[in-house]
Amino acid sequence: MIRIIIAEDQRLLRGAMASLLGLEDDIEVVGEAGDGEEALRMIEKLQPDICLMDIEMPKLSGLDAAEKLKAAGSACRVVILTTFARPGYFERGVKADIRGYLLKDEPVEKLAEAIRRVMQGHREVSPELVFGSMREENPLTPREQEILRLAAEGSSASEIAEKLHLSYGTVRNYISETLGKLAVKSRIEAVKLAEEKGWI
Amino acid sequence: MIRIIIAEDQRLLRGAMASLLGLEDDIEVVGEAGDGEEALRMIEKLQPDICLMDIEMPKLSGLDAAEKLKAAGSACRVVILTTFARPGYFERGVKADIRGYLLKDEPVEKLAEAIRRVMQGHREVSPELVFGSMREENPLTPREQEILRLAAEGSSASEIAEKLHLSYGTVRNYISETLGKLAVKSRIEAVKLAEEKGWI
DNA sequence: ATTTTCGGATGACAACTGTCACCCGAACGG
DNA sequence: CCGTTCGGGTGACAGTTGTCATCCGAAAAT
């Protein structure tokens, strides 16, 4: 019997998956979590074989949770299940030793199958990830990302400078660099693009 | 037997709902669509009693589809099923005569029940919509929305002016007005806020 | 028939943004 | 020890934003 936990904030999807997987006779859904923290608590208590984990969840993202599990040396295998095929996410997941990265665009039938294969020691990845935009690496340095992130929240150059203890001019240089790298003409476009690609 | 169609772009959720609803013995899932256009074609051909419709879908949004159905005088009852409790969406849905507006945050059990109640002539709305942010009306005029939408895509004032056949100065006046109404200090913040609230 | 209202336009000003060329010092690699 | 790279900083310039006061003409309202 494969014991799994489902961490997903959309109750509808979570419930639906739990019901369906529960119908499989080699799989048992032992717990459902609505956010990352709850998932961690549950994994520790119930020691499931696999945790099906969404990324964008309240309190603690699925990737954060996976990283904490790795750090704690948990035996629970994490399978990320998300809408977003963002290369940044995938890469981070790989570093956190996840065993699978599935997209919510996959047909349901594949889900149980993927879980079984992960139990056998395989790694499961949605094909879109393997080919696809995948190899679009993040061209931004950490600093540039940090600055663009603040700009995305609506901070002006001088506000960013203050928050980061940099000079006004330096911040503007970074933004200028960033615009060049992303080949766009304004912060707004840069923010859109970077958010879409998962670069910030 | 209640005949329904599910229009939802996330294959996983679509499949899961179809399987679960199919288990109910008074409900029959007669079709599944992955975008708005497909949903319309299917509804016309299969004449289902109810269409469970996501909003954000490729090609044609669920709201657009609902409006077209209303215009065509279709007998198919539309139930919106979405992540977003945006007042603007809800309002638009009501105008398109939808019979229900459910959030994906609802537990699965409610789904079949809501469908039955809609068949009996009731209207089903997630409680969050009734109270909640609901009463935050869109403070922006159509023109202001149009302009903010373009700004959101990264257009500069002069580009917007060109596209809308307005003068440069007028566009800036509109944006200034908008910033005032939304009580923010820059386009970026305005865009974030307006998108979040569903005002553009 | 005269106000209001409203969409649109101007012009001017201050502040902010984006670009560029160039400077500085610390940290390597040779 | 020297050169290069790299994070950070300056200053200057042109262009874009955001703000205001003000203006015009066409609908509505009274």
Side-chain angles (χ1 to χ4, degrees), chain A residues 5-40:
Chain A
I5 277 185
I6 300 179
E8 156 70 51
D9 62 332
Q10 241 175 235
R11 236 187 296 271
L12 184 62
L13 181 58
R14 166 155 44 97
M17 288 195 297
S19 301
L20 284 183
L21 290 174
L23 296 179
E24 305 284 331
D25 34 61
D26 54 341
I27 295 177
E28 184 187 2
V29 179
V30 297
E32 294 180 32
D35 64 70
E37 289 179 4
E38 201 184 345
L40 286 185

Side-chain angles (χ1 to χ4, degrees), chain A residues 67-109:
Chain A
E67 281 160 6
K68 293 205 181 206
L69 284 173
K70 183 186 177 187
S74 169
C76 176
R77 273 146 281 203
V78 174
V79 173
I80 295 287
L81 181 60
T82 180
T83 313
F84 308 104
R86 296 188 185 151
Y89 281 179
F90 181 64
E91 220 168 294
R92 228 182 115 192
V94 170
K95 287 202 189 108
D97 264 349
I98 57 162
R99 298 311 185 85
Y101 194 112
L102 303 177
L103 296 181
K104 288 184 182 169
D105 202 42
E106 219 66 35
V108 230
E109 298 77 33

Side-chain angles (χ1 to χ4, degrees), chain B residues 82-101:
Chain B
T82 180
T83 315
F84 308 104
R86 295 188 184 150
Y89 281 178
F90 182 64
E91 219 169 295
R92 231 184 113 191
V94 171
K95 286 202 189 108
D97 264 349
I98 56 161
R99 299 310 185 86
Y101 194 113

Side-chain angles (χ1 to χ4, degrees), chain A residues 109-124:
Chain A
E109 298 77 33
K110 295 241 176 122
L111 196 54
E113 209 37 58
I115 289 175
R116 290 191 192 100
R117 288 180 50 78
V118 166
M119 262 321 265
Q120 286 161 22
H122 295 109
R123 289 174 189 268
E124 281 293 304

Side-chain angles (χ1 to χ4, degrees), chain B residues 151-164:
Chain B
E153 287 163 17
S155 303
S156 69
S158 50
E159 286 167 342
I160 297 175
E162 210 167 319
K163 285 178 200 162
L164 260 36

Side-chain angles (χ1 to χ4, degrees), chain B:
Chain B
M1 201 62 154
I2 306 176
R3 303 175 66 245
I4 75 170
I5 275 184
I6 300 178
E8 156 70 49
D9 62 331
Q10 242 176 232
R11 238 187 293 271
L12 183 62
L13 181 58
R14 165 153 47 95
M17 290 195 296
S19 300
L20 285 183
L21 289 174
L23 297 178
E24 306 284 328
D25 33 61
D26 54 341
I27 295 178
E28 185 187 359
V29 179
V30 297
E32 296 180 32
D35 63 72
E37 288 179 4
E38 200 183 346
L40 286 185
R41 282 199 302 278
M42 241 175 223
I43 289 170
E44 199 188 348
K45 184 154 57 141
L46 304 174
Q47 297 289 324
D49 300 304
I50 292 180
C51 177
L52 221 50
M53 184 105 75
D54 186 16
I55 291 187
E56 306 206 334
M57 289 188 290
K59 294 186 191 168
L60 195 69
S61 87
L63 288 171
D64 290 336
E67 281 160 7
K68 293 205 179 207
L69 285 173
K70 183 188 177 188
S74 169
C76 176
R77 276 145 280 205
V78 174
V79 174
I80 295 287
L81 181 61
T82 180
T83 315
F84 308 104
R86 295 188 184 150
Y89 281 178
F90 182 64
E91 219 169 295
R92 231 184 113 191
V94 171
K95 286 202 189 108
D97 264 349
I98 56 161
R99 299 310 185 86
Y101 194 113
L102 303 176
L103 296 181
K104 288 185 182 169
D105 202 42
E106 219 67 35
V108 231
E109 298 77 33
K110 296 242 175 118
L111 197 54
E113 209 37 59
I115 289 175
R116 290 192 190 99
R117 288 179 50 79
V118 166
M119 263 321 265
Q120 287 160 22
H122 294 108
R123 287 174 189 270
E124 282 292 305
V125 172
S126 282
E128 287 85 338
L129 274 297
V130 185
F131 304 93
S133 56
M134 182 50 215
R135 277 271 54 84
E136 280 196 70
E137 267 188 75
N138 192 334
L140 305 179
T141 66
R143 250 293 114 113
E144 287 165 350
Q145 290 172 45
E146 205 175 0
I147 287 171
L148 191 53
R149 222 156 21 225
L150 289 171
E153 287 163 17
S155 303
S156 69
S158 50
E159 286 167 342
I160 297 175
E162 210 167 319
K163 285 178 200 162
L164 260 36
H165 308 291
L166 290 178
S167 93
Y168 176 60
T170 303
V171 171
R172 284 166 55 204
N173 281 340
Y174 275 115
I175 292 186
S176 187
E177 250 304 288
T178 302
L179 298 187
K181 284 187 181 178
L182 302 187
V184 295
K185 290 202 314 301
S186 73
R187 303 141 116 76
I188 293 208
E189 292 174 273
V191 166
K192 290 259 157 195
L193 213 185
E195 278 181 344
E196 188 186 310
K197 300 273 190 183
W199 288 338
I200 57 171

